[in-house]
Amino acid sequence: EEAARAHPGSRPLWERWLAHAERAGDWPSVVAACSFFAHHFDAEADVLIRAGRALMHTGQYQLALQSLEDACALEPENANAYWHVGDLFSRCERWAEAALAYRKGLTIDSTNADAWFTLGNAMYYLGRPDAAILAFETALSLRPDHDKATQNLALVRDELRERAS
């Protein structure tokens, strides 16, 4: 951090600061590094996503959402940005908005098993077990070893069998 602050135009020093803070799980330092970036470099969707993730970890949900929405606006074809928006809404149990964000990301890149899994969770909480099953099955078709999708798929199917009996 000291080196980056001493040489504010050095992107490699900033990248080392950010990488170290992320590896350490030091989310306030990640926020500080991303803020520093915003003052010294042009905006980039990846940095905004990283800032949003860090802000989410520090409980600053409104700022996290703003950062992630800025990433989506800056780079509308960045599926990762939408998936992080979905994660933020999931954390706040705003399932309809989460499902919408996951779907938006999946229209850009439909090959991410984790995004299908999290969409399945949102659909389950929205009272749509049929859609949840489809999402979990899609996650498993993409990554057969996705243990959480296997587990949640079995739970939803068991729940539907119980309701039917």
Side-chain angles (χ1 to χ4, degrees), residues 121-141:
N121 290 337
M123 297 311 291
Y124 174 79
Y125 287 115
L126 285 170
R128 298 280 317 278
D130 54 331
I133 287 172
L134 181 60
F136 294 142
E137 288 174 340
T138 304
L140 288 167
S141 73

Side-chain angles (χ1 to χ4, degrees), residues 87-149:
D87 291 345
L88 175 61
F89 283 132
S90 290
R91 186 174 280 205
C92 297
E93 297 183 8
R94 292 171 56 179
W95 304 114
E97 291 116 321
L100 202 60
Y102 291 133
R103 283 185 183 144
K104 178 77 173 177
L106 285 164
T107 62
I108 298 166
D109 176 5
S110 63
T111 64
N112 186 299
D114 288 327
W116 283 105
F117 168 72
T118 51
L119 174 61
N121 290 337
M123 297 311 291
Y124 174 79
Y125 287 115
L126 285 170
R128 298 280 317 278
D130 54 331
I133 287 172
L134 181 60
F136 294 142
E137 288 174 340
T138 304
L140 288 167
S141 73
L142 293 167
R143 202 171 96 209
D145 65 337
H146 198 297
D147 294 335
K148 290 179 180 179

Side-chain angles (χ1 to χ4, degrees), residues 14-148:
W14 170 82
E15 288 173 354
R16 289 182 64 197
W17 173 18
L18 179 63
H20 178 73
E22 286 177 325
R23 272 194 310 276
D26 182 355
W27 302 115
S29 289
V30 172
V31 170
C34 290
S35 177
F36 179 87
F37 183 93
H39 288 94
H40 294 91
F41 302 99
D42 290 335
E44 292 182 15
D46 178 59
V47 176
L48 289 164
I49 292 167
R50 292 162 93 173
R53 201 172 116 227
L55 289 160
M56 196 179 346
H57 280 288
T58 61
Q60 299 177 70
Y61 298 134
Q62 196 58 43
L63 289 173
L65 180 59
Q66 185 60 59
S67 184
L68 294 169
E69 286 177 339
D70 289 349
C72 292
L74 186 63
E75 205 172 292
E77 295 303 312
N78 187 327
N80 193 34
Y82 295 102
W83 295 330
H84 277 81
V85 170
D87 291 345
L88 175 61
F89 283 132
S90 290
R91 186 174 280 205
C92 297
E93 297 183 8
R94 292 171 56 179
W95 304 114
E97 291 116 321
L100 202 60
Y102 291 133
R103 283 185 183 144
K104 178 77 173 177
L106 285 164
T107 62
I108 298 166
D109 176 5
S110 63
T111 64
N112 186 299
D114 288 327
W116 283 105
F117 168 72
T118 51
L119 174 61
N121 290 337
M123 297 311 291
Y124 174 79
Y125 287 115
L126 285 170
R128 298 280 317 278
D130 54 331
I133 287 172
L134 181 60
F136 294 142
E137 288 174 340
T138 304
L140 288 167
S141 73
L142 293 167
R143 202 171 96 209
D145 65 337
H146 198 297
D147 294 335
K148 290 179 180 179

